[in-house]
Amino acid sequence: MNRLYHYFCTVKYKKMSTIILGIESSCDDTSAAIVEDGVLLSNIIAGQAIHKSYGGVVPELASRAHQQNIVPVVHEALKQAGVSKDKISAVAFTRGPGLMGSLLVGVSFAKGFARALNIPLIDVNHLKAHVLAHFIKEKDGNTEQPEFPFLCLLVSGGNSQIIWVKSYDEMEVLGQTIDDAAGEAIDKCSKVMGLGYPGGPIIDRLARQGNPNAYTFNKPHIPELNYSFSGLKTSFLYSLRDRIKEEPDFIEHHKEDLAASLEATVVEILMDKLRKAAKQYKINQVAVAGGVSANTGLRNAFREHSEKYGWKIFIPKFGYTTDNAAMIAITGYFKYLNKDFCSIDLPAYSRVIL
Ligand code: KG4
C-alpha cells in the first residue's frame, strides 16, 4: 500500500522539465533551438547564400527565404533534440532589432505556434541575447560562465557597444558607435577592395598572412566610451584611391597587408575604449559577443589583455558569435523562470535599445 502511494506521488509530483523553443530571424539567418532546463539540445541555422551576389543583405529576399526555411528549421531542431511539440513549455522569439520583413516571419511563426499549443510566448531582445550567449550550456560541456557584473563588448554588423551586464535582464550601455558599426566598416572596406560578402571572415583570413603595421589609417577622437568607424572607412578608401593612381594593381598585390592593417586598426579602436571602461568601472571580467567576436585579431587582443591587465575573459564558441537561436532560447529560459511572458499582440521592432 505504502509503495503504491509512493508511486502515485512520484508520478504526480515528478518535476516537469522546462523546454524552450527559440526562434531567430532578425537578419539573414533562420534559426531554431531547443533548450531543456538551461541545457542546449539542438541549434539549427539556415544561412542565405542568395545575398552574396548582391554584396549585402537584400531585405525582401531575406524575408522570403525565412518563409521558406522556418518550418523545416523548427522541424529539424525538434527532431535533433528528440522533443515532441507537446513537451514545449514556451516559445521565445527575437522581437528586434533587425530587418522588419525578416523579424515578422519569426514573430508570426512563434505567435501561431504558441497559440496552437496554448503555451506562453517570450519576447527576446536580440542584443541582450548576444550577451547571454555566454550562458549557453551544452550537454557535455562545462564552459566557465561570467559572474555578474561583467563588461561585454558587443560587436556585430549593426552594433558596437560596451555593455555593463548587471544581471540576466539588467544591462546598461556605457558606450556605442555614433555612426557605423565595426562589422559594417570591415564589410564596406572589403567591398571597396572587391572582396566577397560578408567581408569579416575574408579580411580575417587575409590578415593572418599580412603585416598589421604596413599601413596606418585614421583613428577617431570620440569622447567618453563611444565609438566611430565611418572616418576609418573614408581613410581606407582615400588611401586606396591614392595608391591605385600610382600602382593600378595595388590592391591585388597588397591585399594581405591591407587586411592585416585594417583589422589591427579596428581592434585597437575597440580595445582602447574597452580598457577605459574596465578601468573606470573597476570591472575585470570582460566578455565579447556578436559576429565580429569571431575575429582572430580581436580574440588574440582579448588574450593579451587578460595576461597584461589580469582580465578574466569570456570568448564565445564560433557557433555562438553570429546570429543563432541557441542564444534566444537560453534568454527565453531565464525569462521563463521569472514568468516574464508577453502578449500575443506584441509587435516586432526594427530598432530597440537594451
Ligand atoms: O552578429 P552578426 O552575425 O549579425 C549582425 O550584424 O547582427 O554579425 C555579422 C558581422 C558582419 O559584419 C561580418 O562581417 C562580421 O560579423 N564577422 C567578422 C568575422 N566573422 C563575421 N568580422 C571580422 N572577423 C570575422 N572572422
Side-chain angles (χ1 to χ4, degrees), residues 76-154:
E76 191 55 31
L78 288 166
K79 197 171 133 198
Q80 275 198 18
V83 164
S84 59
K85 287 196 279 277
D86 58 306
K87 294 283 184 296
I88 298 173
S89 317
V91 185
F93 64 95
T94 302
R95 183 184 178 195
L99 301 171
M100 187 49 88
S102 291
L103 287 166
L104 283 176
V105 178
V107 172
S108 312
F109 182 91
K111 287 180 178 179
F113 201 90
R115 173 55 69 90
L117 293 173
N118 201 20
I119 53 175
L121 257 181
I122 300 169
D123 64 306
V124 171
N125 178 316
H126 182 82
L127 303 180
K128 280 188 176 170
H130 265 303
V131 175
L132 297 183
H134 287 283
F135 295 90
I136 296 171
K137 248 193 264 167
E138 292 174 345
K139 250 190 202 158
D140 306 318
N142 57 348
T143 18
E144 207 183 348
Q145 299 178 347
E147 282 167 22
F148 301 113
F150 64 93
L151 287 183
C152 186
L153 174 70
L154 175 57

Side-chain angles (χ1 to χ4, degrees), residues 146-297:
E147 282 167 22
F148 301 113
F150 64 93
L151 287 183
C152 186
L153 174 70
L154 175 57
V155 264
S156 68
N159 295 279
S160 297
Q161 298 182 324
I162 297 177
I163 302 166
W164 183 10
V165 189
K166 301 173 188 176
S167 72
Y168 292 121
D169 198 42
E170 209 188 336
M171 302 186 193
E172 188 180 326
V173 177
L174 302 179
Q176 61 189 322
T177 182
I178 57 163
D179 40 55
D180 290 355
E184 189 181 354
I186 295 175
D187 288 344
K188 283 182 181 160
C189 291
S190 153
K191 195 171 177 182
V192 165
M193 286 172 73
L195 306 172
Y197 173 85
I202 304 168
I203 293 289
D204 192 343
R205 187 167 35 78
L206 289 171
R208 308 283 64 78
Q209 300 144 43
N211 172 10
N213 301 313
Y215 307 104
T216 48
F217 306 112
N218 284 355
K219 286 194 212 97
H221 299 283
I222 303 293
E224 295 164 355
L225 297 172
N226 291 325
Y227 289 117
S228 164
F229 288 97
S230 72
L232 167 63
K233 204 179 58 187
T234 314
S235 159
F236 188 83
L237 179 70
Y238 287 173
S239 163
L240 284 189
R241 195 189 54 187
D242 296 344
R243 288 181 161 102
I244 287 170
K245 271 188 204 152
E246 289 158 21
E247 185 187 345
D249 290 333
F250 174 76
I251 295 177
E252 186 49 37
H253 292 159
H254 303 278
K255 57 179 188 284
E256 291 85 1
D257 285 348
L258 282 167
S261 304
L262 171 68
E263 181 190 275
T265 312
V266 171
V267 170
E268 211 177 310
I269 295 171
L270 290 172
M271 296 310 288
D272 182 43
K273 290 293 173 90
L274 193 56
R275 258 191 327 270
K276 276 194 187 129
K279 199 169 165 200
Q280 199 173 319
Y281 286 83
K282 297 186 176 56
I283 296 180
N284 82 334
Q285 283 197 99
V286 190
V288 62
V292 182
S293 69
N295 181 262
T296 312

